[in-house]
Amino acid sequence: RYHAYDALNEVIRCSKKDTAGLVLQMIPLMTGKLQETLSMPVQSAEDREKQNELQGLLCSVLQVVIQKLSSIDNNATKVSLMAYSDQLMTLFLQVFACRSATVLEEALLAVGALVNAMGTDFLKYMDAFFPYIETGLQNFAEYQVCTETVELVGDLCRALGPYIAKYCDKIMFFLLNDLQAQNLHRSVKPSILSCFGDIALAIEGQFQKYAPYALTMLESASALSIQTQQVAAEDDDMIDYNNSLRNGILEAYSGLFQGFKNSKQQLQAFHDNARQIIAFIESIYMDPNRADSVTKNAVWVLGDVADTLENVGPFFAEKPFYRKFLTECKNDTSLSDTAQWALERITLRISKNW
């Protein structure tokens, strides 16, 4: 059964634009089957396992269908997809009530696809859906569900923009609590850090009240990363985790800087952290095990620091590593433009302070 649904997903992913009508017909077919699973007789653990497996597989197909249809640049196709949104969301909410980890992961991914397709129109479902976000962010035992919930919060931030602010007090409470929880799997935490950046980008200056807490967590995570770097030289798992942690930290900083870019006064709150951020990136530069994605994010953040913060020229002057780092990055065609921009911003900032 799994292989059959997996093959179906691949066929949908590879389908051409002119088959959109056929792909659209998959929605009533799959929602009908998903509705049937909700009334399946469950009299044993085997029955429950069968129900959970089928629900997960059907949610995965619906996710792929939604992604495919929303990627087609055709207004009529998108209008047709949106006509099913109420039915889809009603079913997904019923599936969430089943509380099986396998099903929850697939359902979260399917909702994420719907969020990306609907944009701000998803707001009408938020009050009904938000309790499941709260539950997911507190699900330490099934940490993959927690990870998918954090990723979905990022999707919601990008889709809803400032409209997510209404829910951010609770979201930030759970995210900060998760970071401090000893019993939460460490693999979730980089995504949480990155999520700070998504929230800041979405609500901009309204993030100010959360900034001190987020910056404290980012500083602690940076110190942990530097410490891990010193002991992880021969441990591939630790190297991979540290690169994931760095990406989470750097994506958070980038989101914070961009979110506050138009709030010059509020940006001053970040000034005291600038020296630590530059030192953190210097430690990354010195590590031969850094991932390409980390290098890319580090270049962006160096540029962001110089572009958005006043009076940071002396901090860069103290850390001349940036010249060699950015010059090396300019030789990489995928990074050359960004590295050149960052170098120009830093040079300009230093010239203003001398």
Side-chain angles (χ1 to χ4, degrees):
R1 179 187 286 171
Y2 168 80
H3 294 295
Y5 278 96
D6 193 44
L8 176 59
N9 286 341
E10 197 57 34
V11 169
I12 295 168
R13 286 192 192 99
C14 297
S15 62
K16 303 293 185 182
K17 288 183 180 181
D18 57 7
T19 63
L22 290 172
V23 175
L24 189 66
Q25 290 176 32
M26 296 297 296
I27 295 180
L29 179 62
M30 292 298 146
T31 53
K33 289 182 175 294
L34 188 55
Q35 185 69 59
E36 289 173 9
T37 67
L38 296 169
S39 56
M40 283 175 64
V42 178
Q43 298 175 339
S44 65
E46 186 178 344
D47 289 343
R48 176 67 67 190
E49 185 178 340
K50 182 181 177 182
Q51 181 192 47
N52 290 342
E53 181 192 17
L54 193 51
Q55 287 178 343
L57 291 169
L58 290 166
C59 283
S60 74
V61 175
L62 286 168
Q63 176 208 352
V64 174
V65 168
I66 295 166
Q67 285 177 330
K68 184 66 182 182
L69 292 172
S70 61
S71 71
I72 296 172
D73 189 19
N74 181 305
N75 192 55
T77 301
K78 291 181 180 178
V79 169
S80 299
L81 172 60
M82 292 306 100
Y84 287 106
S85 64
D86 286 354
Q87 182 184 359
L88 285 165
M89 201 60 202
T90 299
L91 270 175
F92 291 148
L93 289 172
Q94 290 177 276
V95 168
F96 280 116
C98 296
R99 304 182 69 83
S100 159
T102 305
V103 181
L104 286 175
E105 280 186 70
E106 295 296 345
L108 285 164
L109 289 167
V111 172
L114 192 60
V115 167
N116 293 328
M118 294 186 70
T120 53
D121 289 338
F122 189 84
L123 194 61
K124 63 182 178 179
Y125 304 128
M126 276 299 291
D127 286 345
F129 181 54
F130 192 68
Y132 297 105
I133 295 176
E134 293 181 283
T135 302
L137 293 176
Q138 298 174 83
N139 193 341
F140 294 177
E142 295 157 340
Y143 66 88
Q144 296 94 335
V145 172
C146 191
T147 299
E148 294 299 343
T149 308
V150 173
E151 299 287 349
L152 181 54
V153 170
D155 290 337
L156 287 165
C157 288
R158 286 181 285 276
L160 301 181
Y163 296 111
I164 194 72
K166 171 185 174 182
Y167 305 94
C168 283
D169 281 356
K170 286 187 175 180
I171 289 172
M172 285 299 297
F173 172 80
F174 290 124
L175 293 180
L176 290 165
N177 186 59
D178 287 0
L179 284 175
Q180 297 174 83
Q182 297 296 317
N183 57 333
L184 178 62
H185 197 278
R186 70 182 188 185
S187 65
V188 186
K189 299 189 177 184
S191 296
I192 294 173
L193 296 171
S194 181
C195 196
F196 288 161
D198 294 328
I199 295 170
L201 268 173
I203 66 173
E204 298 183 340
Q206 295 180 79
F207 194 84
Q208 179 68 29
K209 61 181 175 179
Y210 313 122
Y213 308 103
L215 289 170
T216 297
M217 289 297 180
L218 289 168
E219 193 168 339
S220 297
S222 299
L224 174 62
S225 175
I226 292 171
Q227 182 183 348
T228 302
Q229 176 181 328
Q230 294 167 351
V231 299
E234 303 297 327
D235 188 331
D236 289 344
D237 288 340
M238 286 300 290
I239 289 170
D240 289 344
Y241 175 70
N242 198 26
N243 278 321
S244 177
L245 183 61
R246 288 162 166 169
N247 276 328
I249 295 166
L250 294 168
E251 287 166 3
Y253 277 130
S254 189
L256 286 164
F257 285 127
Q258 293 302 313
F260 282 90
K261 192 171 185 178
N262 297 321
S263 309
K264 294 293 184 184
Q265 188 173 356
Q266 292 176 329
L267 269 172
Q268 292 313 302
F270 297 89
H271 187 270
D272 293 341
N273 297 85
R275 181 181 267 117
Q276 176 265 323
I277 294 169
I278 295 167
F280 172 57
I281 294 175
E282 182 180 32
S283 74
I284 291 173
Y285 167 64
M286 294 169 63
D287 184 9
N289 293 314
R290 70 176 186 269
D292 290 344
S293 57
V294 173
T295 301
K296 180 180 178 181
N297 283 325
V299 172
W300 272 113
V301 173
L302 280 177
D304 284 336
V305 170
D307 189 43
T308 58
L309 296 181
E310 305 283 346
N311 304 315
V312 291
F315 300 162
F316 283 105
E318 292 169 4
K319 297 288 186 181
F321 81 93
Y322 75 86
R323 294 194 197 98
K324 190 173 180 182
F325 178 41
L326 295 176
T327 300
E328 290 173 5
C329 291
K330 282 169 64 178
N331 295 325
D332 182 336
T333 53
S334 66
L335 283 175
S336 56
D337 290 345
T338 309
Q340 180 63 35
W341 165 77
L343 196 55
E344 289 172 359
R345 303 314 300 170
I346 293 169
T347 302
L348 180 63
R349 192 62 72 189
I350 288 176
S351 70
K352 286 184 178 180
N353 290 116
W354 294 99

